[in-house]
Amino acid sequence: MRLVVGVKRVIDYAVKVRVAADKTGVELKNVKMSMNPFCEIAVEEAVRLKEKGVVSEIVAVSVGPKQAQETIRTALAMGADRGIHVQTDMRTDQDLQPLAVSKILKHVVEQESPDLVVLGKQAIDDDANQTGQMLAGLLDWPQATFASEVNIEDKSLKVSREIDGGLQTLAMTLPAVITADLRLNEPRYATLPNIMKAKKKKIDTIKADDLGIDLAPRLKVVKVEDPPVRSAGIMVDDVDTLVDKLKNEASVL
Amino acid sequence: KRGSLVLPIRRGAMAMRAMTRCGWRASRRWASFGCLNETQEQVREMTRGFAESALFPVAAENDKLHRFPAEVIRELGELGLMGCQVSEAWGGSGLDTISYAVAVEELSRGCASTGAIVSVHNSLYCDSVQSYGREEVFEAFLRPFAQGEKVGCFGLSEPGNGSDAAAASCVARRVEGGWRLSGTKAWTTNGIVGSAAVVFATFDKSLGHKGISAFVVDTGADGFSFGAPEDKLGIRASTTASLILDDVFVPEAQLLGREGDGFKIAMKILDSGRVGIAAQGLGIAQASIDLAVKYAAERNAFGKPIASLYAIQHKLSDMACRYDSARLLTWRAAAAKDDAKPFSKHAAMAKLAASEAATFCAHQAIQILGGMGFVSDMPAERYYRDARITEIYEGTSEIMHLVVATNLLKEYAALDIALPAAPPKHAHHDHALSHAAA
C-alpha cells in the first residue's frame, strides 16, 4: 500500500515571530525554518505503519520554494522512501492557501494512486486546518481529522479522533485522508544511518505553475500587525463597578 | 545567509607549494568556510534536538551522582552515534569527520560527560580497531561497539607516564598464540563500563617507542580488572578508572597493526581524537555562551539588563570570538582528515584553541552570572568543572604547542626561503639619494 504524506516548511516553532516592517506579513528573511510539527507527527505515523508492514511505500510531498527540499529530505531521513517537491515562489504562509494546496495534492494523488494520505492537522504559520478536509472533499474520500490513534486492518481504517467532547472512533474504508493531531505519536529522531541513506533517495521536482491549477489566493491579507501591548490591570472596589466596566469599557457583556 | 570567502590567489610556485602542504587546498574544497552542507546540518539538527530533550534534563543529576548515563548511551547507539565513523558494513554510520565533530559538539553542549564518552568510544576505540585491527576481530570487537551495545576504552597513559607515551612500562610477553600483558593503565575514560580496551604495551623496553605494540583486549579476560572509579572534578557522569592487567592473554589476531607500530598508531589515533575533544570543548563553550547571554538579557542592574553594559558585552564578544575561531580550526582539521591530508598540526591547533575557549567561556559565564554562577542551581559551575579536563586529556595543551611548533618548523625547513637580509644596494638608488642631498 502506498502512502502520501504532506510536509510543510514553516518558521521553526521556537523562533520569536516578528511582523515585517511593511506590515504585509511576518518577517521570513534569515529566520530559521523547519518542518511543521504536525507534519512531523504525520511522517512518524507513516513510518510506523510501514514498520508494521501495513504500508509498503511512503512518498513525502511538499509545496514550496527550493528550500522545501530540505524539509522533504528530513522526511526521507525519518523513513519516507521518496519525495515530490512542487516548486512555487508564492508565500506559503499566506498567499498559497489551503484550497490551492489541496488542488495540488489532488493532482499528486491522481499521479501516485496512494491508499492513504496523511497530513498534519494544521500548519503553525497559518493555523488554517483546512487542507486535509478540502483534499478529502475534492477526492471524494472519507476523512479522519484530528487523529489521535490510527488502526488499519485489510482495507479498513479505524481512527480515534480528539473532538471537543472527548474521543470519537470512526471506521471507514480506504482510500482515506487522515490529519494528525498532537497526541497521535512522538516523532523519532532521524538516525545517522537514515540521514546517510536519505542522501540517495530520490526527490522529483515539478512546477506548481505547470499544473494548470488556479493557485490564486481567495483571501487577501490586508495588514499584519503585532497584538496590542497588554495594558496593566486595574483593581475595582465592588462587583457593580466590575460589571459596569465589563459592559461599557471592555464591551464583553 | 551563506556567503563565500574569497581566498587571495598568491602567485608564486613556492608560496603555492607551501600552502598546499599546509592543507589550504583541502580546506578550500569544503564549501565556504564556516558553512555546513545539508547532511551536516541534518546531523546537527538531530543531535541538538536529542541533546535538548534527553541530555539537558539529566546532566546535572548525573554529574551530582557520578552516574554513567547508560540509558542515554543505549539511545545514542540506536541513533548510530556510537559508530559515527565506522563503515556501514560493520554497523556504523559512515559519517564524514565534520559531521562527527558537529555531533560531538551538540552532545557536549547538553552534557560534556556524554560528549567525552562518545568521543573516546568513537575516535579512540572504534577508529583504532577499524583502522588497524584485523578484519577477523571486527565481528567481536567492532560491530557491537559501533551499534552501541558495548563501550570501548583506550589505555595509553600509565601512572608513571602520560605525555611521555614512549616510556610505557606495561609489558607484552610473547607466548604461544599471542602475548601476555601485565601492567597498569591510568585515567582510562569508559573504564568500568568498557567491554574492550585498546591497550599499548612494550615488548622490548630497550627499543624505546619502537618497542610498543597496540592490542585490543577483552576486559572480561582472565587477569583483567578495573581499578576504583576516579573521583573527578568534572565530566563526573563518565567513568574513569585504571586498567589492571595481570598476565592477560591476548591472542595473535588481536594485535593492532604490526609489532612495534604501537607508538605510531597512538599518535595517529590521538590526532583524530583531538578533533573529537576539540568538539567537546566547543560544546561546553557554546553552552556557556548560551547561558551567559540568556542570563545577561534577563538580569537587571542599575536599572537595565546587564547585557546593555559594555563590560558584559566585551566578555560576550571575547567568548564568541574564541569559540568561533576554535570551531573553524576544528572543522578545518576535520576537513583535512577527510581529504586524507596530514592534519596533526590542524588537530593540535583545534584542540588547543577549543579547550582554552571552553575554559575561558565557562569562566566568563560564571563571572557574568555572578553568585548565581557559583551555585549548582545553574549549570555554569558544571561547565567550568567539565571544561578543565579538555586542556589535559588526549594531549595536554603543552604537548599541543609542541606538536604545532614541530610541524611549523618542519614546514619552514622544507621551504627554500631564506630569511630576508638587508635590502640589496642599487646603483641608481644611491645616485638618486646623492642627487637629492646635493
Side-chain angles (χ1 to χ4, degrees):
Chain A
M1 185 178 8
R2 182 177 293 150
L3 186 158
V4 165
V5 61
V7 294
K8 188 177 180 186
R9 179 174 177 267
V10 299
I11 296 182
D12 186 85
Y13 78 93
V15 168
K16 260 196 219 145
V17 178
R18 256 181 272 269
V19 176
D22 60 3
K23 300 212 176 170
T24 55
V26 299
E27 186 60 66
L28 291 176
K29 275 205 282 283
N30 290 323
V31 164
K32 180 163 191 264
M33 308 290 276
S34 304
M35 188 189 291
N36 180 42
F38 294 107
C39 299
E40 281 181 0
I41 296 172
V43 174
E44 173 63 25
E45 196 58 27
V47 175
R48 288 187 190 192
L49 287 171
K50 186 167 171 217
E51 285 170 348
K52 282 194 202 132
V54 173
V55 163
S56 57
E57 193 192 20
I58 303 171
V59 183
V61 186
S62 190
V63 186
K66 182 160 153 279
Q67 295 91 324
Q69 292 198 15
E70 291 165 18
T71 310
I72 298 174
R73 196 75 61 188
T74 307
L76 295 176
M78 284 173 76
D81 297 295
R82 58 187 167 85
I84 297 175
H85 171 218
V86 182
Q87 200 274 338
T88 177
D89 285 320
M90 291 175 72
R91 272 190 81 129
T92 50
D93 63 337
Q94 48 189 58
D95 296 338
L96 187 71
Q97 292 170 0
L99 184 57
V101 175
S102 33
K103 286 178 184 171
I104 294 173
L105 290 178
K106 173 166 178 272
H107 169 93
V108 171
V109 165
E110 283 162 357
Q111 209 183 283
E112 298 290 332
S113 313
D115 282 305
L116 207 49
V117 175
V118 187
L119 306 175
K121 72 170 179 183
Q122 66 199 56
I124 60 171
D125 51 13
D126 60 10
D127 282 322
N129 197 326
Q130 296 168 19
T131 308
Q133 293 88 333
M134 285 178 172
L135 177 63
L138 290 171
L139 291 171
D140 200 25
W141 285 11
Q143 58 182 266
T145 54
F146 309 106
S148 66
E149 203 182 315
V150 168
N151 279 301
I152 298 181
E153 239 158 282
D154 299 318
K155 278 274 193 163
S156 81
L157 172 65
K158 232 199 203 138
V159 174
S160 192
R161 304 176 62 225
E162 285 190 3
I163 58 171
D164 289 342
L167 290 175
Q168 178 193 63
T169 309
L170 291 181
M172 60 192 76
T173 55
L174 298 179
V177 174
I178 300 175
T179 72
D181 207 331
L182 188 64
R183 279 162 285 273
L184 178 58
N185 60 48
E186 200 174 318
R188 65 191 59 196
Y189 289 109
T191 66
L192 289 185
N194 281 343
I195 290 175
M196 300 303 278
K197 276 192 210 130
K199 289 203 286 194
K200 301 186 194 117
K201 293 178 182 172
K202 205 156 163 284
I203 300 180
D204 290 314
T205 306
I206 48 180
K207 284 212 167 82
D209 292 334
D210 292 344
L211 299 179
I213 298 171
D214 178 9
L215 301 173
R218 301 294 197 260
L219 298 175
K220 179 166 176 241
V221 173
V222 172
K223 191 165 61 163
V224 177
E225 44 184 24
D226 283 302
V229 175
R230 224 181 134 183
S231 50
I234 45 172
M235 299 294 276
V236 294
D237 292 325
D238 52 43
V239 177
D240 288 330
T241 327
L242 174 65
V243 173
D244 175 60
K245 283 194 187 287
L246 287 174
K247 254 200 197 147
N248 303 316
E249 284 182 31
S251 312
V252 293
L253 284 181
Chain B
K1 270 284 141 156
R2 287 169 191 224
S4 55
L5 190 69
V6 176
L7 292 163
I9 311 284
R10 306 251 205 91
R11 311 252 171 251
M14 270 192 309
M16 286 300 282
R17 260 188 274 130
M19 290 197 291
T20 312
R21 217 184 315 262
C22 303
W24 174 74
R25 279 252 158 76
S27 18
R28 191 158 186 275
R29 208 176 301 154
W30 148 47
S32 34
F33 275 54
C35 285
L36 299 176
N37 67 31
E38 203 183 337
T39 306
Q40 291 156 356
E41 270 300 342
Q42 279 188 304
V43 171
R44 198 174 79 95
E45 282 290 327
M46 185 271 275
T47 45
R48 197 177 183 94
F50 181 80
E52 283 176 358
S53 67
L55 298 184
F56 270 103
V58 296
E61 202 186 324
N62 285 342
D63 168 78
K64 213 182 202 116
L65 300 175
H66 298 238
R67 181 172 57 195
F68 182 80
E71 183 52 38
V72 161
I73 297 302
R74 200 185 51 80
E75 285 176 49
L76 288 174
E78 285 168 14
L79 289 170
L81 286 161
M82 294 301 269
C84 290
Q85 299 204 285
V86 174
S87 85
E88 281 148 354
W90 291 103
S93 308
L95 273 193
D96 65 284
T97 310
I98 295 183
S99 294
Y100 168 62
V102 163
V104 173
E105 180 184 340
E106 293 297 340
L107 292 177
S108 302
R109 178 177 164 264
C111 172
S113 302
T114 306
I117 296 165
V118 170
S119 178
V120 166
H121 174 93
N122 274 284
S123 293
L124 299 187
Y125 177 79
C126 291
D127 264 9
S128 295
V129 176
Q130 183 173 233
S131 307
Y132 300 101
R134 285 161 180 63
E135 208 173 291
E136 57 200 275
V137 303
F138 282 10
E139 203 57 55
F141 288 100
L142 188 59
R143 190 189 296 282
F145 294 81
Q147 292 176 321
E149 292 157 24
K150 295 184 177 177
V151 177
C153 34
F154 186 82
L156 176 64
S157 289
E158 296 175 3
N161 59 279
S163 297
D164 191 6
S169 25
C170 181
V171 296
R173 185 169 55 93
R174 198 78 173 85
V175 296
E176 172 108 33
W179 293 263
R180 284 199 174 269
L181 269 53
S182 288
T184 314
K185 292 294 178 182
W187 318 125
T188 311
T189 307
N190 295 339
I192 313 283
V193 299
S195 301
V198 169
V199 177
F200 296 83
T202 177
F203 59 87
D204 188 347
K205 281 202 189 140
S206 69
L207 293 176
H209 70 275
K210 293 209 179 109
I212 299 175
S213 287
F215 307 88
V216 57
V217 182
D218 182 346
T219 61
D222 261 339
F224 193 106
S225 61
F226 291 111
E230 303 287 353
D231 181 9
K232 307 189 293 286
L233 172 70
I235 57 166
R236 298 205 295 203
S238 73
T239 53
T240 309
S242 297
L243 308 182
I244 302 162
L245 297 102
D246 188 5
D247 227 29
V248 177
F249 176 68
V250 177
E252 201 73 61
Q254 284 168 224
L255 174 71
L256 300 176
R258 292 166 311 189
E259 263 204 323
D261 274 352
F263 186 79
K264 221 176 4 139
I265 291 175
M267 293 305 107
K268 277 225 156 77
I269 290 297
L270 284 172
D271 280 344
S272 304
R274 281 161 197 167
V275 174
I277 297 305
Q280 186 200 16
L282 294 176
I284 297 170
Q286 177 70 90
S288 303
I289 296 172
D290 288 348
L291 181 63
V293 170
K294 189 161 191 290
Y295 187 84
E298 292 169 353
R299 173 72 177 183
N300 283 348
F302 309 108
K304 44 192 175 158
I306 61 174
S308 60
L309 300 169
Y310 180 68
I312 301 299
Q313 290 177 357
H314 187 106
K315 285 181 197 299
L316 293 173
S317 157
D318 219 338
M319 290 157 81
C321 287
R322 290 174 196 232
Y323 162 76
D324 230 329
S325 39
R327 193 166 64 153
L328 289 175
L329 282 173
T330 305
W331 289 356
R332 191 172 72 152
K337 178 179 177 223
D338 283 341
D339 276 341
K341 294 283 194 294
F343 68 102
S344 299
K345 187 181 86 160
H346 299 319
M349 289 172 111
K351 195 224 180 231
L352 183 61
S355 56
E356 294 189 345
T359 35
F360 180 83
C361 291
H363 181 114
Q364 293 303 330
I366 292 186
Q367 198 64 17
I368 290 171
L369 266 60
M372 229 17 205
F374 201 67
V375 294
S376 59
D377 300 57
M378 290 287 217
E381 58 84 26
R382 190 180 82 240
Y383 298 156
Y384 186 74
R385 290 184 290 104
D386 286 344
R388 199 60 192 84
I389 190 61
T390 60
E391 289 187 57
I392 298 171
Y393 65 1
E394 294 201 32
T396 60
S397 295
E398 290 70 29
I399 295 295
M400 294 305 97
H401 279 299
L402 188 64
V403 172
V404 172
T406 310
N407 278 283
L408 190 73
L409 291 170
K410 249 194 260 173
E411 285 160 21
Y412 275 98
L415 299 175
D416 209 11
I417 297 176
L419 289 170
K425 289 191 189 267
H426 292 293
H428 75 270
H429 177 82
D430 284 344
H431 186 70
L433 275 180
S434 50
H435 247 266

